[in-house]
Amino acid sequence: MEEIKLMKGNEAIAEALIRAGADAYFGYPITPQSEILEYLMTEEPYKRTGMVVLQAESEIAAINMVYGAGACGKKVMTSSSSPGISLKQEGISYIAGSEIPCLIVNVVRGGPGLGTIQPSQSDYFQSVKGGGHGDYRLIVLAPASVQEMADFVQLSFDMAFKYRNPVLILSDGLIGQMMEKVILPPQQERLTDEEVEKRYGSWATVGKKAGRERNIITSLELKSERQEKHNHKLQAKYREIEKNEVRFEKINCENADYLLVAFGSSARICQKTIQLGKAKGINIGLIRPITLWPFPSEEINKAADKVKGILTVEMNAGQMVEDVRLAVNGKRKVEHFGRYGGMIPSPDEVLTALEQKLIGG
Amino acid sequence: MTEELIIAGFGGQGVLSMGKILAYSGIMQDQEVSWLPSYGPEMRGGTANVSVIISDERISSPVLQFFDTAIILNQQSLDKFQEAVKPGGVLLYDPNGITHLPTRKDIKIYTIEGAKEASALKNSKTFNMIVLGAYLKLKPIVKMENVIKGLKKSLPERHHNLIPMNEEAIKVGMDKVKQVS
């Protein structure tokens, strides 16, 4: 049954989590994502589906609860905002090393440090280039609407379990706090241990049965030869994800003279810039990476051939622009326009930046 | 049809809930809506504002620099958002507490004595509904029946007995709005 509601992005993620048949949420409040925990506490899903909701004593505790529950094959999520996500990085690295499926949500605010509570996209590097230590990758999804905040929850769990890999939803204070119309997915049943094993294989620590080896969850391997083998296995998995999971949206790219590349809320702002450009006779297209890792490099490379110049628009001092430049590999001019510290660029500002940086004058 | 609107005033005046009722009313007639609040420390005792977009088409940017309509409920907001009204657009304000009047010549300016009318109704909480009524008189973008449905959706059920009073306040606003220039 489809249900249309007016919800904040944070509330939509929380409701979608219950409906995805999640087993648990562990979190710690921080603006601008506190509505996730608040919504879950108000909805009391432990009565609806048996899902656990727990406010941990700290972010570090919360991510380690995710590690533990995830190791048992449970569908679990944690969420925070930038400073809190920094605290979680050790746990995230362990989870990636141990190949535990889980969902981490970052509703980004301006930094560095405690920074501001206003929206930002300055955690792009942290999300797609590691964040924690070691050679690992998170699958990173960037929602650009409240609807996608809801839709990406189930998608994240599907990918997390398919690849036994943590997935991060990289949102920001704007999408988190904004209300839009959202169509909620139907309620899914929570899975039993047996169903998890049947769908995703026997790897979780749910109690050893006779006739099989012990399932061991660890990120520690003191023998370098074995650790390298494990690294090879992870890298092979990452190549597989790069092959299968690249997602992006193309808007007005047919016959565009200039290309914008933007993700999340910046991509929404750029859509208005396209309209403003049209009114001035400037034909602008937009590629919106939906997965920030794996990154739609190939698509951006192809699109570069058809345009005179490329501008990335980010609420940071220039992070994704590096990946766009790598993708384009020098064949076109790639410029960056950003506002940061919690400031949000307006569609008019973006158009002015495009005119100055790409057209000249 | 696309209406891009900003409502700005003090925290506690019902700015955010007025926007929410409008957004819900839009949904009730199958339109696309977005509601983007200012959030954070500026809400505590300071100014609060919300951008609302109601459209027949998919909404691009929820963040805007210029608006079709600005509903202004204090001096700070008037100073800040007067210039954000598109040429030919609408500025609606409550003159209560306004000492520096709007100066734009290229927009339509209206007043609604929201605070005064609310005290005449002996219910200061009807203030934002009076202002909403004035706005809907100028821009009848949502039907009254859908506003009532929107009210039902955004008020908790225990407050549904207050809906007739809110409807009355909206009608007062519709009656009392005045064109200044």
Side-chain angles (χ1 to χ4, degrees):
Chain A
M1 259 296 284
E2 274 188 356
E3 242 180 279
I4 300 178
K5 285 198 165 187
L6 181 70
M7 283 183 132
K8 284 190 172 190
N10 288 335
E11 296 167 342
I13 261 194
E15 179 61 33
L17 180 68
I18 304 171
R19 289 176 184 235
D23 297 299
Y25 169 88
F26 305 107
Y28 188 80
I30 180 171
T31 305
Q33 64 81 55
S34 294
E35 289 87 358
I36 298 176
L37 180 56
E38 284 168 9
Y39 184 93
L40 290 171
M41 285 297 186
T42 312
E43 280 301 309
E44 303 179 315
Y46 29 93
K47 291 182 185 163
R48 251 163 83 181
T49 67
M51 174 186 154
V52 172
V53 183
L54 193 139
Q55 178 175 336
E57 67 269 34
S58 70
E59 286 86 351
I60 297 169
I63 193 68
N64 282 292
M65 288 173 186
V66 167
Y67 187 12
C72 302
K74 300 295 180 196
K75 221 182 235 187
V76 281
M77 179 178 121
T78 186
S79 64
S80 192
S81 179
S82 310
I85 295 289
S86 291
L87 284 167
K88 291 180 198 283
Q89 289 302 335
E90 181 200 45
I92 293 173
S93 172
Y94 280 46
I95 287 169
S98 311
E99 296 191 86
I100 302 298
C102 69
L103 172 57
I104 303 146
V105 176
N106 185 0
V107 184
V108 181
R109 55 191 254 179
L114 278 177
T116 171
I117 58 172
Q118 303 300 327
S120 178
Q121 296 181 318
S122 47
D123 298 353
Y124 176 89
F125 280 153
Q126 184 198 49
S127 310
V128 305
K129 310 277 182 201
H133 60 279
D135 258 333
Y136 75 89
R137 293 289 190 175
L138 302 176
I139 299 171
V140 181
L141 288 165
S145 64
V146 173
Q147 185 65 53
E148 284 188 343
M149 289 285 258
D151 293 346
F152 286 0
V153 172
Q154 184 59 53
L155 174 64
S156 296
F157 281 123
D158 289 345
M159 290 193 285
F161 276 86
K162 182 175 175 193
Y163 298 104
R164 278 187 64 189
N165 206 74
V167 176
L168 181 106
I169 292 181
L170 188 70
S171 177
D172 63 62
L174 199 152
I175 306 273
Q177 294 293 328
M178 171 172 79
M179 286 205 282
E180 285 186 308
K181 198 156 108 173
V182 54
I183 297 168
L184 292 166
Q187 178 70 50
Q188 312 254 348
E189 294 286 319
R190 287 174 53 226
L191 298 181
T192 62
D193 291 347
E194 290 71 28
E195 284 166 331
V196 172
E197 184 172 334
K198 212 172 141 193
R199 284 191 197 182
Y200 305 110
S202 168
W203 55 266
T205 49
V206 288
K208 180 188 173 303
K209 291 179 197 73
R212 72 155 164 86
E213 290 291 302
R214 289 183 302 155
N215 290 336
I216 299 170
I217 301 289
T218 179
S219 69
L220 176 71
E221 178 49 71
L222 292 174
K223 287 210 168 81
S224 299
E225 296 80 2
R226 283 200 210 159
Q227 180 61 34
E228 190 186 43
K229 215 172 139 193
H230 179 58
N231 282 124
H232 278 310
K233 184 185 160 209
L234 291 179
Q235 293 303 320
K237 176 171 84 174
Y238 299 150
R239 299 296 88 75
E240 188 70 15
I241 295 171
E242 282 170 341
K243 207 172 77 192
N244 298 337
E245 304 299 345
V246 173
R247 286 171 170 78
F248 57 87
E249 185 185 11
K250 278 165 81 175
I251 296 171
N252 202 44
C253 283
E254 293 298 309
N255 309 318
D257 294 317
Y258 300 95
L259 181 68
L260 295 170
V261 184
F263 68 93
S265 37
S266 292
R268 291 287 294 274
I269 293 160
C270 286
Q271 286 173 45
K272 182 86 181 178
T273 305
I274 292 174
Q275 295 169 17
L276 298 174
K278 205 169 275 174
K280 287 179 93 172
I282 307 169
N283 205 349
I284 309 167
L286 169 70
I287 292 185
R288 172 172 80 94
I290 293 171
T291 48
L292 300 180
W293 193 88
F295 194 68
S297 306
E298 225 179 281
E299 197 58 40
I300 291 170
N301 183 294
K302 270 191 265 168
D305 291 329
K306 299 181 195 158
V307 296
K308 295 175 189 158
I310 299 170
L311 181 73
T312 74
V313 180
E314 309 169 60
M315 292 194 286
N316 59 43
Q319 300 193 10
M320 183 181 68
V321 65
E322 293 189 3
D323 287 331
V324 175
R325 284 190 180 129
L326 280 173
V328 171
N329 205 12
K331 64 181 171 186
R332 282 293 177 279
K333 186 171 168 182
V334 179
E335 294 284 348
H336 164 264
F337 174 70
R339 292 295 302 267
Y340 24 104
M343 295 303 291
I344 305 168
S346 75
D348 306 76
E349 259 181 293
V350 174
L351 183 60
T352 306
L354 183 141
E355 288 176 300
Q356 286 172 353
K357 288 172 187 257
L358 297 185
I359 304 175
Chain B
M1 190 286 300
T2 297
E3 167 77 351
E4 298 171 336
L5 163 82
I6 185 152
I7 312 171
F10 286 121
Q13 278 180 318
V15 166
L16 299 186
S17 56
M18 199 195 317
K20 193 171 164 184
I21 291 160
L22 260 177
Y24 253 125
S25 311
I27 288 184
M28 292 303 141
Q29 46 192 46
D30 286 330
Q31 283 167 310
E32 300 299 321
V33 300
S34 77
W35 176 96
L36 178 68
S38 61
Y39 67 91
E42 60 184 358
M43 283 169 79
R44 297 184 233 292
T47 57
N49 69 69
V50 61
S51 318
V52 177
I53 306 175
I54 300 179
S55 179
D56 297 327
E57 287 150 41
R58 178 176 159 178
I59 292 167
S60 56
S61 175
V63 180
L64 298 168
Q65 194 172 358
F66 301 105
F67 300 88
D68 299 309
T69 305
I71 300 177
I72 300 296
L73 303 174
N74 64 14
Q75 185 70 54
Q76 290 97 314
S77 303
L78 180 62
D79 298 342
K80 191 170 171 190
F81 293 112
Q82 180 183 178
E83 294 305 321
V85 180
K86 293 178 196 170
V90 167
L91 173 69
L92 168 67
Y93 74 100
D94 185 336
N96 182 36
I98 301 288
T99 50
H100 305 291
L101 299 176
T103 50
R104 291 273 299 268
K105 301 287 178 222
D106 59 339
I107 57 175
K108 291 175 220 130
I109 300 176
Y110 300 85
T111 56
I112 177 69
E113 293 270 9
K116 206 171 111 188
E117 297 300 336
S119 81
L121 285 178
K122 295 189 172 48
N123 189 339
S124 61
K125 286 183 181 164
T126 58
F127 169 75
N128 64 345
M129 290 300 102
I130 294 168
V131 177
L132 178 65
Y135 168 70
L136 289 175
K137 173 78 178 184
L138 305 174
K139 293 269 180 102
I141 52 165
V142 284
K143 287 187 192 148
M144 192 60 174
E145 58 184 270
N146 292 323
V147 177
I148 301 305
K149 281 189 203 163
L151 268 168
K152 277 187 189 154
K153 281 276 188 183
S154 47
L155 286 175
E157 217 153 292
R158 64 181 191 279
H159 289 150
H160 279 191
N161 60 325
L162 302 175
I163 287 173
M165 197 175 67
N166 281 293
E167 193 174 350
E168 158 109 30
I170 291 171
K171 283 181 182 149
V172 169
M174 288 179 160
D175 273 354
K176 300 287 181 179
V177 60
K178 280 187 202 142
Q179 181 153 17
V180 179
S181 65

